[in-house]
Amino acid sequence: MTDFIFRIPAPSVEISGRTERFAVRRIFCVGRNYAEHAREFGNDERDPPFFFTKPADAIVPSGAALTYPSLTQDLHHEAELVVAIGTGGWDIAAKDAASHIFGFACGNDLTRRDLQAVAKSQRRPWDMSKAFDESAVIGAIVPGQSIAPEAAIRCHVDEQLRQNAKIGDMTWPIADVIAALSTHVALAPGDLIMTGTPAGVGPVARGQSCRVEIDGLPDAEFRYTV
């Protein structure tokens, strides 16, 4: 048995209705996967999917009270469907993608929008705007290999509806996202894919609560302390 100088906690997500937890290996995120969201930031919705990452230890369970992040005055919510990978693979065909899915969850890709804007203007990476501590709020995973295209995805801030779309509004469906991502990296059990956010992203301030809902899945919610 290998000895380590110190023990590092293993990030994981609750599985709905089960005592086991889903161990998280990596978090991949899809950019601009809803046409209206792409257009609201002046981008072409026909662009192929592109990907960025968050560290696994950025995960926050639903119901958490969080400290407002440092270095930002413009923290945004981004409601997303999260796909949990249960079977790995390289260069997966879209027709086979569902067989690699363990389940689905609600997620919130929190973004320091002002830092992102500066990074874009300077043609630098987005990492510090997307991959900061407590930047991935994820609800319990519901096992299954499909989700209805007509399932609604919504985000509320202090009970005010901000985002409201359907999963079927994605530019690149789940199977295509998995197929495209698996040409870049070999997917593995424990990977999570945050599949993009619909239009209506906006700020969450100190003292406010935020809740992501997707039909058929447990909510992903949090509150920022003052």
Side-chain angles (χ1 to χ4, degrees):
M1 181 176 177
T2 303
D3 290 327
F4 296 96
I5 298 172
F6 46 79
R7 295 289 174 179
I8 299 174
S12 65
V13 176
E14 178 184 355
I15 301 173
S16 181
R18 291 170 60 168
T19 56
E20 305 103 320
R21 295 182 66 85
F22 185 89
V24 177
R25 184 169 183 261
R26 298 174 293 188
I27 304 173
F28 297 100
C29 305
V30 186
R32 304 171 193 159
N33 199 25
Y34 286 79
E36 288 190 19
H37 174 61
R39 288 194 292 265
E40 76 179 340
F41 281 85
N43 299 300
D44 189 339
E45 68 271 20
R46 296 167 297 178
D47 287 345
F50 70 93
F51 304 95
F52 57 94
T53 62
K54 289 177 179 279
D57 64 3
I59 290 174
V60 174
S62 182
L66 306 181
T67 302
Y68 192 82
S70 63
L71 304 177
T72 184
Q73 299 301 318
D74 193 21
L75 190 289
H76 279 203
H77 59 81
E78 294 192 6
E80 310 214 2
L81 173 69
V82 180
V83 178
I85 298 297
T87 303
W90 167 264
D91 203 12
I92 298 166
K95 65 181 179 59
D96 300 324
S99 67
H100 294 262
I101 297 173
F102 174 83
F104 300 94
C106 289
N108 201 333
D109 168 20
L110 300 176
T111 303
R112 294 192 282 201
R113 191 69 72 198
D114 42 2
L115 272 64
Q116 186 185 41
V118 170
K120 286 180 177 180
S121 70
Q122 297 178 345
R123 302 174 66 85
R124 292 179 177 175
W126 294 0
D127 292 52
M128 292 301 100
S129 68
K130 288 285 193 177
F132 55 95
D133 296 341
E134 300 181 336
S135 61
V137 183
I138 298 178
I141 296 169
V142 174
Q145 295 185 323
S146 65
I147 187 167
E150 61 271 19
I153 177 170
R154 305 182 186 91
C155 184
H156 294 79
V157 175
D158 281 353
E159 302 306 321
Q160 178 188 20
L161 181 64
R162 293 277 190 86
Q163 295 178 270
N164 187 12
K166 295 188 181 302
I167 296 302
D169 294 337
M170 288 183 187
T171 303
W172 299 95
I174 295 164
D176 291 346
V177 166
I178 291 173
L181 179 56
S182 71
T183 66
H184 292 274
V185 296
L187 293 176
D191 288 340
L192 298 179
I193 306 173
M194 303 186 80
T195 56
T197 194
V201 299
V204 184
R206 291 174 175 83
Q208 289 190 311
S209 62
C210 184
R211 183 177 75 256
V212 174
E213 306 169 342
I214 298 175
D215 291 344
L217 302 177
D219 296 347
E221 57 185 324
F222 75 98
R223 177 177 60 84
Y224 274 136
T225 57
V226 177

